[in-house]
Amino acid sequence: MVNRLNQFTIASVAKKLNEINTNILLSHQRPFPNLALLSHYRFKKRFVKIFENGDIEGGLCRMIASLIDFSFIRSLVADRYSDMGPPCYDPPSLFLLELFRFIDGHLNMSRFCEVLRDDDRGRSYRKLSGIETNNIPCQATFSNFKLRLGAARYNEIFHVLVGIFKQLEMITFNILAHDGTLYPTWARYKDCTYFCAQCACVTVEDVIAKVKNRICYRLDHMADDNLGSEVRVYVDCPGNNFPQDVKKPKIELFTFKLAFCDGEPTDEQKNTAILFGVDEELSRQQLCINAIRSNVTNINANSSSMTICCPKLPKDTDARIGVRRDPQNPDKKQKIFGYNAVLSTSVELSLKIELPVAVTKIAGNADEAKLIIANKKQIASHHNCQVHIDIADAKYDAIDNYNYVRASGSIPIIDYNVRNEKLAKQDLIARGYDQNGWPFAPCGLLCRPNGFDQKCQRATFCCFKQCLKLRHHALEDLQSRFDVGCCPHIENKTGFAKHMYVKDHPRLVNEIPRGSKLYKNIKKTRSASERANSTLKEHIKILHKPRILNAPRADICAQIAAIVLLLSRAFSFIVRTTCRIRKLLKSNDSAGKKDLMPYIPRSILRLLQIQRE
């Protein structure tokens, strides 16, 4: 195991990266069109010193920039620039600065720009990224750069980095864990779930005449204390996204009140009275109209119509409401107005690391179940690999996912969603199998797994003559309840046997029987995806409360989060491995060498061996 881990020490990794960096540059040779650059990134291989306590000289940012040549970014994004454009920053420079600020915990971009301008605090960032003191980018430069590249280019950069660690044998794709995480938009939710594009421009007909009638009615009934009370004008919501059983809400056009005029009315008050045709009456009674709230954006006096923007329309019209369990109270559900990032994590049991290998963004209320297929296609298009096991929770329990995973040569380990099935004992016996897909013998005893036939795609279950191990009274009670008398299968070696075919129960019957010890051991590794998602929110905090207001920027944010998580985890693993190997070599502790080997159940190792064959 020590020899196995030696290849992940800083010396071995640095040596391998020399060849990997060269091969990447040879495969990305598209020239960058704009030669008028405001910054000049040049990769320089530097010596990385790791102290005994795990600290890195110059920090993790310096280590990353000293080992990986990011010049390939210039070629990847060349089509986003023009040779006739104005001077621009070197793309690797801005990419690295964005990467450094998240790794070092600078969540606020404006404050990070202040750090860049500081002579001392920003010196290392400027040197590693190739930024000059007289050409330090501002906050808008980073924002425009991310939007120019788009999520697709960030995804390509991410997979180039995944390929680097695949060549370093830190990623094998043997086991993938899939899970999604909701992250909020910077916009505020305004209590309308069914908003659409029409909400920004709602045309209301014949409003002026209706408002005039309401004002005249109040003027005619002044004795009823109508003066000073608010007048609210509403209109029915014209949206088409509402379900039939949901009543459409009323939209407030504007709110005003009548009041005594102290002195000369303002121009706004005069124009409002003229608009509704009550200026003479109000002037006679020395009254005016005080506007309180208004959602009107345009008025057409000729047709007596108005155009308004619905006050319940949020600033981010791409975000949607997603629901998750409340972290503080698992019994309650929490609503998140934003997006959902579905992350696929490669679980390396032999190295005790979990690295992201694919990420896809969807709206908060979108169907997350389909994203396993999207992520696996993303991996297949960038990497030549074979996934052996795919793990996911009950949200992904869909027949299409099982079919796609099995067609790709992998085994699905997906939590079963019982939906509306009846799980009472008598109901299970009546249908012939339990919630794990294990059939019942004619006597009512539950059969046990006895292998899976890959060719016929069926699982075999046997009772293994469990009745012979029952006590005499229990056996008599069993025979009386099921009227079986002498079991006709008692002469068989394994007793009663039954085949459960995948085609009959594609969601329930699995290559590894549900409920078995092996199935449970494999399912435990699903927590790797949950840890990855929690790291992005609680430690790196990229997805905690990102400043995003539309779907393209939310997608870019998810891609950057995956890149930061990949690099920070991979290089932290290299640092830990280097320190542990050094410590063992100094102490020559044989017991410590055994501690390097993580415990992996033999059944999982055997399964992976069979899958490779």
Side-chain angles (χ1 to χ4, degrees):
M1 186 62 186
V2 175
N3 294 333
R4 160 76 168 147
L5 290 179
N6 268 332
Q7 62 178 323
F8 303 115
T9 59
I10 183 64
S12 300
V13 169
K15 186 177 180 180
K16 290 181 180 179
L17 282 174
N18 292 333
E19 182 181 355
I20 294 174
N21 286 330
T22 302
N23 293 335
I24 291 176
L25 292 180
L26 291 176
S27 59
H28 296 85
Q29 293 188 339
R30 183 172 184 173
F32 192 72
N34 196 331
L35 300 180
L37 297 177
L38 300 176
S39 64
H40 299 275
Y41 168 77
R42 295 291 183 272
F43 173 68
K44 181 179 179 181
K45 189 173 180 62
R46 301 175 180 88
F47 177 74
V48 180
K49 184 177 181 180
I50 300 177
F51 299 101
E52 292 184 358
N53 61 354
D55 292 340
I56 308 168
E57 185 179 16
L60 185 59
C61 294
R62 183 179 180 275
M63 180 180 182
I64 294 173
S66 300
L67 295 179
I68 296 181
D69 187 356
F70 290 91
S71 300
F72 68 89
I73 295 177
R74 199 179 292 122
S75 175
L76 269 180
V77 303
D79 61 327
R80 299 295 188 184
Y81 290 82
S82 171
D83 56 351
M84 303 297 292
C88 65
Y89 286 91
D90 199 1
S93 300
L94 296 181
F95 176 85
L96 282 175
L97 289 177
E98 186 81 19
L99 176 67
F100 293 160
R101 83 177 183 95
F102 283 118
I103 289 180
D104 285 349
H106 298 283
L107 300 180
N108 192 301
M109 176 58 81
S110 60
R111 294 181 182 177
F112 179 69
C113 291
E114 294 177 3
V115 173
L116 286 180
R117 298 187 190 97
D118 189 273
D119 290 339
D120 295 327
R121 292 186 298 164
R123 183 180 293 112
S124 176
Y125 296 132
R126 295 193 300 268
K127 183 178 180 181
L128 295 175
S129 60
I131 296 289
E132 299 295 335
T133 309
N134 58 346
N135 272 329
I136 296 178
C138 65
Q139 187 174 357
T141 303
F142 289 100
S143 179
N144 293 333
F145 172 74
K146 289 187 287 187
L147 204 59
R148 177 192 290 268
L149 264 62
R153 291 295 179 272
Y154 275 98
N155 187 257
E156 290 182 17
I157 295 172
F158 168 66
H159 281 288
V160 170
L161 298 174
V162 171
I164 290 176
F165 296 107
K166 179 177 180 291
Q167 295 181 64
L168 291 173
E169 299 182 24
M170 293 172 63
I171 296 177
T172 62
F173 297 98
N174 286 334
I175 302 176
L176 292 186
H178 309 271
D179 195 21
T181 181
L182 291 168
Y183 58 103
T185 178
W186 196 246
R188 183 169 61 90
Y189 177 62
K190 298 184 179 180
D191 300 326
C192 183
T193 307
Y194 308 102
F195 59 84
C196 60
Q198 296 180 359
C199 300
C201 187
V202 180
T203 301
V204 185
E205 303 292 343
D206 300 329
V207 178
I208 296 178
K210 293 179 181 179
V211 176
K212 179 181 178 180
N213 293 335
R214 295 189 63 178
I215 294 175
C216 292
Y217 177 83
R218 294 217 167 200
L219 292 176
D220 294 339
H221 297 78
M222 293 292 291
D224 297 338
D225 295 332
N226 287 323
L227 190 64
S229 61
E230 293 185 356
V231 180
R232 296 184 177 91
V233 182
Y234 293 93
V235 66
D236 291 330
C237 177
N240 299 322
N241 293 342
F242 289 86
Q244 294 182 355
D245 57 340
V246 176
K247 184 179 179 180
K248 292 185 179 181
K250 297 282 188 178
I251 300 176
E252 182 180 294
L253 293 178
F254 50 84
T255 302
F256 64 91
K257 66 180 179 179
L258 300 178
F260 285 107
C261 184
D262 296 333
E264 186 70 15
T266 63
D267 293 339
E268 180 183 352
Q269 292 172 342
K270 291 180 181 179
N271 294 333
T272 304
I274 293 172
L275 173 65
F276 296 121
V278 293
D279 52 323
E280 295 181 0
E281 183 67 22
L282 291 177
S283 177
R284 186 177 61 83
Q285 299 191 34
Q286 295 184 352
L287 297 174
C288 63
I289 298 176
N290 288 337
I292 300 175
R293 293 183 301 274
S294 176
N295 299 307
V296 178
T297 58
N298 188 26
I299 300 175
N300 190 338
N302 296 327
S303 62
S304 298
S305 64
M306 292 184 179
T307 303
I308 68 167
C309 178
C310 179
K312 293 187 176 182
L313 181 68
K315 293 293 183 182
D316 189 351
T317 57
D318 297 324
R320 290 295 185 272
I321 284 287
V323 180
R324 69 174 185 181
R325 292 189 182 275
D326 191 342
Q328 307 300 328
N329 189 353
D331 295 332
K332 294 184 179 180
K333 292 184 178 180
Q334 183 182 34
K335 293 182 178 180
I336 302 294
F337 181 61
Y339 302 91
N340 192 351
V342 180
L343 196 68
S344 296
T345 305
S346 180
V347 184
E348 307 300 329
L349 297 177
S350 61
L351 301 178
K352 281 189 176 180
I353 57 172
E354 303 148 2
L355 300 179
V357 292
V359 62
T360 306
K361 184 272 316 172
I362 54 175
N365 66 341
D367 186 8
E368 187 180 326
K370 301 177 182 178
L371 270 295
I372 277 189
I373 298 176
N375 278 6
K376 287 182 68 65
K377 286 182 177 179
Q378 187 183 125
I379 294 171
S381 63
H382 289 90
H383 309 285
N384 183 17
C385 61
Q386 174 59 56
V387 180
H388 299 307
I389 300 174
D390 284 278
I391 312 172
D393 60 16
K395 292 192 296 290
Y396 304 91
D397 182 23
I399 294 178
D400 290 343
N401 290 337
Y402 287 99
N403 293 338
Y404 187 87
V405 169
R406 286 170 176 143
S408 65
S410 180
I411 297 177
I413 304 294
I414 303 175
D415 290 342
Y416 186 69
N417 191 341
V418 295
R419 298 187 175 118
N420 295 323
E421 296 180 9
K422 296 181 180 179
L423 300 181
K425 186 174 181 181
Q426 294 301 324
D427 294 321
L428 295 179
I429 294 176
R431 76 179 186 182
Y433 55 88
D434 70 349
Q435 65 269 26
N436 290 322
W438 295 18
F440 291 95
C443 61
L445 294 175
L446 189 64
C447 296
R448 297 176 182 177
N450 192 29
F452 184 84
D453 190 337
Q454 191 69 34
K455 183 178 179 180
C456 299
Q457 286 292 291
R458 68 184 186 187
T460 302
F461 294 85
C462 301
C463 72
F464 293 105
K465 304 178 184 179
Q466 300 175 53
C467 57
L468 298 180
K469 300 179 181 179
L470 297 176
R471 293 184 178 181
H472 179 69
H473 294 293
L475 181 59
E476 288 182 350
D477 180 63
L478 180 69
Q479 293 174 349
S480 62
R481 282 192 293 116
F482 293 94
D483 192 23
V484 293
C486 183
C487 178
H489 307 282
I490 200 71
E491 300 297 332
N492 298 336
K493 185 176 181 181
T494 56
F496 172 78
K498 184 175 182 179
H499 302 301
M500 297 288 288
Y501 288 85
V502 172
K503 63 180 181 180
D504 296 333
H505 308 279
R507 294 173 42 242
L508 184 61
V509 178
N510 201 40
E511 290 83 344
I512 303 172
R514 295 179 182 276
S516 62
K517 185 177 180 181
L518 176 57
Y519 188 92
K520 293 178 181 178
N521 286 336
I522 296 175
K523 200 173 74 170
K524 289 178 183 178
T525 60
R526 190 183 69 83
S527 59
S529 57
E530 296 176 348
R531 283 190 291 270
N533 290 334
S534 64
T535 301
L536 292 177
K537 287 186 173 181
E538 298 175 8
H539 299 286
I540 302 178
K541 294 187 176 181
I542 300 179
L543 299 184
H544 177 54
K545 289 183 180 179
R547 292 174 178 262
I548 51 176
L549 279 175
N550 52 44
R553 292 192 182 275
D555 200 352
I556 293 171
C557 182
Q559 300 297 333
I560 294 176
I563 292 173
V564 175
L565 180 63
L566 172 68
L567 292 175
S568 59
R569 280 190 169 184
F571 280 95
S572 297
F573 169 74
I574 294 172
V575 172
R576 291 196 308 271
T577 303
T578 302
C579 293
R580 295 177 70 183
I581 293 295
R582 287 177 182 174
K583 185 177 179 180
L584 284 175
L585 292 177
K586 287 183 178 180
S587 63
N588 196 21
D589 184 8
S590 58
K593 294 180 181 180
K594 295 181 180 179
D595 293 338
L596 284 176
M597 301 181 63
Y599 171 74
I600 306 174
R602 293 183 180 180
S603 55
I604 297 180
L605 292 176
R606 193 180 306 114
L607 175 64
L608 293 176
Q609 182 70 25
I610 295 173
Q611 287 292 101
R612 293 190 189 98
E613 295 175 353

